[in-house]
Amino acid sequence: MLLSGSQDGFMKCFDLRKKESVSTFSGQSESVRDVQFSMKDYFTFAASFENGNVQLWDIRRPDRYERMFTAHTGPVFCCDWHPDDRGWLATGGRDKMVKVWDMTTNRAKEVYCVQTIASVARVKWRPERKYHLATCSMMVDHNIYVWDVRRPYIPFATFEEHKDVTTGIVWRHQHDPQVLLSGSKDSTLYQHAFKDASRPVDRANPEGLCFGLLGDLAFAAKESLMGGEAGRKPGYPGGDRRYPIFFFKKPDVTEQFAQVSSVLSVFEAPAAGGGGGGGGGGVGAGSRMDWFVDTARLYLLSGKPFADLCDHNAKVAKQLNRPQVSTTWTMLRIMFSEPANISSSTNHLMSKLGTLPPLLNSFSMKELSSGLNERNKESRQDNIHSLETNINNNDVENEETEGSEGQAEYVFGDAELDDDDLYSMEHDNQTEEPEYTLPQEAFPLRHEIMEQPSAPELLEKAESPHVSGSEAESICLTSSESISLISVSQLLFPPHLPPTFFGPVVKEMLAYYAEQGDVQMAVSVLIVLGDRIRKDIDELTQEHWYMSYIDLLQRFELWNVSNEVIKLSTCPAIGCLNQTSTTLHINCSNCKRPMNNRGWICDRCRQCASVCAVCHHVVRGLFVWCQGCGHGGHLEHMGSWLRDNTHCPTGCGHLCEYT
Amino acid sequence: MFVARSIAADHRDLIHDVSYDFHGRRMATCSSDQSVKVWDKSDDGEWHCTASWKTHSGSVWRVTWAHPEFGQVLASCSFDRTAAVWEEIVGESNDKQRGLSHWIKRTTLVDSRTSVTDVKFAPKHMGLMLTTCSADGVVRIYEAPDVMNLSQWSLQHEISCKLSCSCISWNPSSSRAHPPMFAVGSDDNVTYTGKVQIFEYNENTRKYAKAETLMTVTDPVHDVSFAPNLGRSFHVLAIATKDVRIFKLVPLRRETTTTSGPTKFEVQVMAQFDNHNSQVWRVSWNITSTLLASSGDDGCVRLWKANYMDNWKCTGILRGDGTPVNGTSGQAGAANTTGPSGTLASQAAAGGAVSAGRPKAQLMPG
C-alpha cells in the first residue's frame, strides 16, 4: 500500500498489486504537504495541509476525514507518528514549531512544543528513544537537530556537516538510535553516527555572575551544580559517591538530558561592612561601596582655605575608617601649606600620627610614605620600627648612632637600613598578625626647631641610596639638646622648601591611588591642590582621572558631586561636558512670553518671573515648577504645599503634576 | 560575610546570564527558555520581576544593559542566530501600578549565520555601539547613528577571529590615550592556539586590527572581562577558562606618533588560580576593580583580591545556595593560593613576558 498527497488537495492510495489507485481522499482544502500511516492503527493515516490543518483519515472510508484540527499557523510541512504506538503525532510547520499531539484522546491534545530557529521541513522520531526526534529545515538553516521534547529549548544534539539545505532525513534502522542518514542540496548524502554529533548544551554556559554597583553579587547557576558534588574531585568518574558502589549503575551520561533549572541568588554585602575601602577587611567589607558614596558626599573640594579643606577631608577619611587616606590629606596640608603654618601643622601631623588607631599597619605606613620623599619616609619608618621593637633591632648602625648621640632619648631610624630589610618587615606585618601598636608616649612633643640649616643637605643626600650614619648623626647633633622623632619630621619640611619640591612625589602618589582603584582620591587631591600640582601631571592623565571619577559618581547617582567636580575641573574637555546639548529656553511665568533679556524681570509684564508661588519671594537656587501651568517656587515650599493640596498654589486652577 | 538572598527566578531552563544595570538597581536574566526577565530592586532590598517576555526562538545566551543615557535599553543574543535590542516603554500608567513594565523590540540583527554567543555595548564615550560575536568567529560592530532611533543600526565592522567566539569584553577606559579596544575569547577546543585575542581600533585605517593574542591561554575560554579602568595607565583582563587568570596589559609607549601599527603591550600574568578544580564559567569585576568574582563548575563563587604588593588571594568562597563552604574561607583560600600567587608575583616582578605554553605544573603549589 502506498499513500500519496498532492498539491491539488487530494490523497491517493495505491495498492502495488493493481495498476491504479484504490481510493482517493479529498482533503477539501489546500495542498497536502505530508501523509503518514499510523503505527498504532493500520487503517489510520494523518495528512498535513498547507493551511495549518492536520486531518486524520480511515483508509476504509474515503468520503470524509475522521477528525481535523489546526496544528500550526501557516503550512504544516511534515508529520510523523511515534514509533512506539503511543498515539503521538509530531508535526512541524513554517511557524518554526514542532508540536507533539496526543491522538488517543477525543480532541488532539498538544503535549509538547519545540521552538526551532527555522521552518521545520522534516521531523522524524528517533528509534528507541521515547522523547527524541530529529528535525531539519528547508531554508536558512542547514543543520539537523535532535531534540528532547521534554526540554524544548536546546537541541539535544546537532549535525552540522551539510553546506546547504538538508532535504531529507531518515534513521538508518528501525531499532538503531545511533545512525541517521541525510541528504542535502549540496549534493551529498551523509550517514551520521550519533557520537559525532555536537552537543550545544555542553557549550552552553550554566552560570551567570555579575557584580552590582554596591558590591552585591548576582549569581545564577545550574541547580545540580549546587548540590553535594561541589567538593567533588576533578576527574572522578561520573556518578555520585553517595551511593554504595554495588548500586552503581553507570548511567549513560551522553543520553542524560533531563529538564534542568537554575537557582538565582543575590549575595548582598553586609551594610555594616566596616567601609574598609583601603584598609581591607573581611569577605564583605572590601566589596561594599558605601565608603565611596560617603566620601564623595562629605569631602569638601572648594570654598575654604586650602589647609581647612585638607583638614576637613582628613577628618572625613578618618571617620570612614580610612586612616591612610586621612594621613595623606594631613601630609598634603603640611607639604603645601604656607611657611607660617608649618610648625602648627607639623604638630598637628604628629598628634595625628600619635592618635592613629592601632590598625595602622605598615601597609598604611607605606601609603603614607609614598606621599613623602622615599628616603625620608624609610628612615622614619625605621624609627617607628625601632621604637616598636624596643630598640632591639640588631642593626649595628643603630647602636652606633645611639651611642654617639648621647643626649638623644630615642634612637633614630637609621637611613642605612637595607631596603630589603625594610620590605621584609613590611611583609611580616602584612601577614595579618596583630599589628604593632604605636605607643603614644613614643611621640612626646618636644619643642620645635624652626630653622635647620642642614636640612636641604639631608634631603639631597636622601636621594642617594646611602646616607652614611655619620651624616645623619651630624644633623642630629647640630639640632639642639634632645632630639626626638618629631624634630626629624620637622627637618623634612623646612619653611624655605618650595612646595614644588613635592610635585613629583605627589604625582607618584596620585598615580598610585588611581592604580589601586581609588580614583576618587586622585581627583579630590587634584582639585584641592589645584595649581600646586596641576602642571606636574600631564593633561591626558588628568582628563582620564576626571572622566573616570565623574563616570563613577554618575553611576552612584551623585549628580551634585559630579557637577561640582565638572565645575572645578580645569581640563577643557571636562569643563565642556556640562555645556554640550544643553539649551535653556525661558518663558515668563506670568505672561507666558519668552524672556529675552538677561535677568529675571520680564520686560512685558514688568514682573519678576521667578517668584515662589507660595511665599512670593524671589527664588534663588532650586526653582521647581509645574510643566502644565508654569507656576512654581522653592522646592521645599512646593513640596509642603503639594502634600496637602493638588491644585496650583497660585490659584490658577491647574491640577499640578510633579514627577 | 555576604548575605545570600535567593530569588525565585522561575525560568523554565538554565539561566545563562545575569546582568546589573549601570546604577545597580535593575537586573536582567536570560535563559534557555527563550525569555528575558527584568528585576527591579525595591526600597526594602527585595528584587521583583517587572517584565518577562519571550525574546528569541532559541536559547538566550547573554543579556546586557546600555548606558542609561540612551534610555532603558537591553540587548540580547541567542542561539537563533540573532541579537536584538529592546527598549522599555514608559507611559501606560496601569502597567506601572501593577509593577510591570513593557519592553518592545527595536531591532533584530540577523547578520550572523551561526549562534550569537555574546553581545556587549561599547563604552559610552564611543557613542551607541553594539558588538556581537558568534560561533563562526566573526565579531560585528554595529552603530546607531541616531541615538534617539534605536531601530536603525548599521554594521560598521566585521572582524574575523578565525576561531569560534564565546565572549567579548570592551576595555572600558575612556582615556584618549587608549584607543578603543576589546578582547574576544574562544571556546574552540579543536585547535591549539591562543584563545584570547585583543583588537584595537586604528585611527588611521579606521579599522580594528589584532593587537595581541594571549598565547598562554590555550584552553577553551568561557568569559573575558576587562576591569573597570579608573584612571589607570594599564589594563587588567580577567579570563575564565579551565582556571581563573588575571592579565595585566601595559601599553608600551610609542616612539613616534606616526607609527600606524597597533599598540604593543607588555603582557604580564598577575594571577592564575585553579581553585575551582573545574571549568570556570564567569568572571566579574566590582566597580573599583579591586575585587574579582569567579564562578565555576564546582557551583561556588570565589572572590579574589590583590594586596598592595599585587599578590592576588582568595578572600571568600560563596556557595550558590548561600550555604557556607566548609572550613573558613580564609584557610582554604590561603592554603591553596599562596603557592601559585607567590610564584607568579615573582615572575611578574621579573618583568618577563610570559612565553607560550609554559608548563602548568610549574605553577602548582607543592
Side-chain angles (χ1 to χ4, degrees), chain A residues 117 140-143 145 158-160 162-163 198 200 203, chain B residues 56 58-59 61 76-83 109-118 132-140 142 158-159 162-166 187:
Chain A
I117 65 171
V140 187
D141 192 0
H142 312 154
N143 297 346
Y145 299 101
T158 61
F159 297 101
E160 295 163 349
H162 285 300
K163 299 279 178 291
S198 69
R203 312 187 97 181
Chain B
H56 289 273
S59 299
W61 297 134
S76 60
C77 67
S78 162
F79 181 75
D80 72 0
R81 306 168 175 196
T82 64
L109 306 169
V110 295
D111 298 281
S112 173
R113 269 170 300 246
T114 53
S115 171
V116 182
T117 47
D118 200 355
T132 64
C133 70
S134 54
D136 58 0
V138 181
V139 173
R140 292 182 176 83
Y142 300 88
E158 246 184 344
I159 303 140
K162 309 284 195 302
L163 291 168
S164 155
C165 301
S166 60
D187 60 354

Side-chain angles (χ1 to χ4, degrees), chain A residues 141 151 153-154 205-207 211 225 262 264-266 268 283 287 363 430 515 543-545 554-555 557, chain B residues 3 5 7 13 15-16 23 25 32 81 175-176 229 231-232 282 284-285 295-297 308 315 320:
Chain A
D141 192 0
R151 191 173 171 188
Y153 306 113
I154 308 183
N205 200 323
E207 288 176 346
F211 245 115
L225 291 179
S262 290
L264 175 65
S265 41
V266 172
E268 286 168 3
V283 174
S287 67
F363 180 33
Q430 243 308 305
E515 304 204 341
E543 191 185 313
H544 189 192
W545 288 350
Q554 292 183 347
R555 266 179 187 265
E557 297 171 80
Chain B
V3 182
R5 193 189 282 267
I7 298 170
D13 208 310
I15 296 172
H16 295 298
H23 298 300
R25 300 263 178 78
S32 259
R81 306 168 175 196
S175 167
R176 280 188 287 131
N229 184 312
R232 280 206 214 90
R282 284 283 193 254
S284 178
W285 291 96
S295 72
D297 256 346
Y308 75 105
T315 61

